[in-house]
Amino acid sequence: MTAWRVTRPGPMASGPLDRCRVPVPRPAAGELLVRVLVCGVCRTDLHVAEGDLPVHRPGVTPGHEVVGEVVATGDAVTGFATGDRVGIAWLRGTCGRCRYCRRGRENLCPESRYTGWDADGGYAEFAVVPAAYALPLPGGYSDGEFAPLLCAGLIGYHALARAEVPEGGRLGIYGFGGSAHLTAQVAIARGATVHVLTRSAEARELALELGAASAGGATEPPPEPLDSAILFAPAGELVLPALEALDRGGTLAIAGIHLSDVPPLSYQQHLFQERQVRSVTANTRADAREFLAFAGEHHLSVSTVPYALDQAEQALTDLAADRVNGAAVLLGP
């Protein structure tokens, strides 16, 4: 089969990926073999390719927003059958024993493993996934629409919870790519007023089309104080204007797995009056089930930019250059 591998982590201009011919993997006990129909292109894939995230598996195949069809099952698999449509997401394994797992916070498990980082992902024609971490998918979406929901949607949903938007509150969203354009719709459906701050003029237009109350430049102040904010752009310098935009008692959630350095903060200007900053680390399977149920009941408009599997390197290059308005997806052969 065809698969892309990160063989030389570095800037996209240096050619960090190779397109390879490799054997189709075999499912071990408790695993599913999935034919990849669509794989979303996530900024985390870019961080893996460019070396922002340390190498966990040399030559890994990226991709963790996989919509696929089960074509074979390993021993001891229950709940899935050949022909089922399933999702493969970022979280791939946890220990189930540590205090975080026992508290229902498996996303913090020290032994957690991730698709496209610790194990091969969906930039390929086939992939395997532990059945315990595969996600049954509701109807109402095409394969291409569903792929971004499996990470961009999930992490945005978790970030929204971390931001603690009060009922009828005012939410600022910094950066407006694959995850943010879905999170904005969830927040609006729940009654929040959403203000989008992003440098892309096209993204600002999309934000207004999706129901945002305003859309301005990334460093501009929103038209009113914010109860909550979510930073999706991996730009540490935006932490300061986001905190300045918060009203008293406001919360800023930082949704990325990687962030450039944050400039020095002024306690009085940025944090005083009980403003707080929270990081966001992956999501739990319970988050995934809750979000997918929400998406099944409230159809989300998913803006995608399709690429062929052979164009994976170009898709990541476009993402690095902020040329993707919405969510890039790789279409299976």
Side-chain angles (χ1 to χ4, degrees), residues 37-38 40 67 85 141-149 302 304 327 329 331:
L37 303 174
V38 179
V67 175
R85 188 173 75 149
Y141 296 86
S142 69
D143 298 333
E145 289 174 321
F146 229 122
L149 300 185
V302 186
T304 62
V329 296
L331 305 180

Side-chain angles (χ1 to χ4, degrees), residues 55-74:
V55 174
H56 278 195
R57 177 174 179 167
V60 73
T61 295
H64 56 273
E65 298 179 342
V66 179
V67 175
E69 178 187 1
V70 177
V71 294
T73 61

Side-chain angles (χ1 to χ4, degrees), residues 135-266:
L135 299 173
L137 302 179
Y141 296 86
S142 69
D143 298 333
E145 289 174 321
F146 229 122
L149 300 185
L150 294 170
C151 180
L154 286 179
I155 201 64
Y157 191 78
H158 187 53
L160 195 59
R162 296 284 288 164
E164 292 189 337
V165 185
E167 186 175 352
R170 302 155 296 179
L171 171 67
I173 292 180
Y174 288 78
F176 204 71
S179 187
H181 90 284
L182 298 171
T183 307
Q185 294 176 70
V186 176
I188 292 168
R190 290 178 165 179
T193 298
V194 172
H195 300 286
V196 170
L197 297 308
T198 183
R199 65 184 182 181
S200 167
E202 289 184 348
R204 291 195 291 270
E205 291 180 10
L206 177 61
L208 294 174
E209 290 173 6
L210 293 176
S214 74
T219 59
E220 295 176 8
E224 59 181 339
L226 305 174
D227 298 303
S228 306
I230 303 174
L231 174 59
F232 286 102
E237 64 271 17
L238 293 181
V239 170
L240 273 63
L243 286 172
E244 289 176 7
L246 289 179
D247 205 349
R248 299 179 182 213
T251 298
L252 168 63
I254 300 176
I257 192 173
H258 171 79
L259 187 72
S260 62
D261 289 344
V262 179
L265 299 175
S266 162

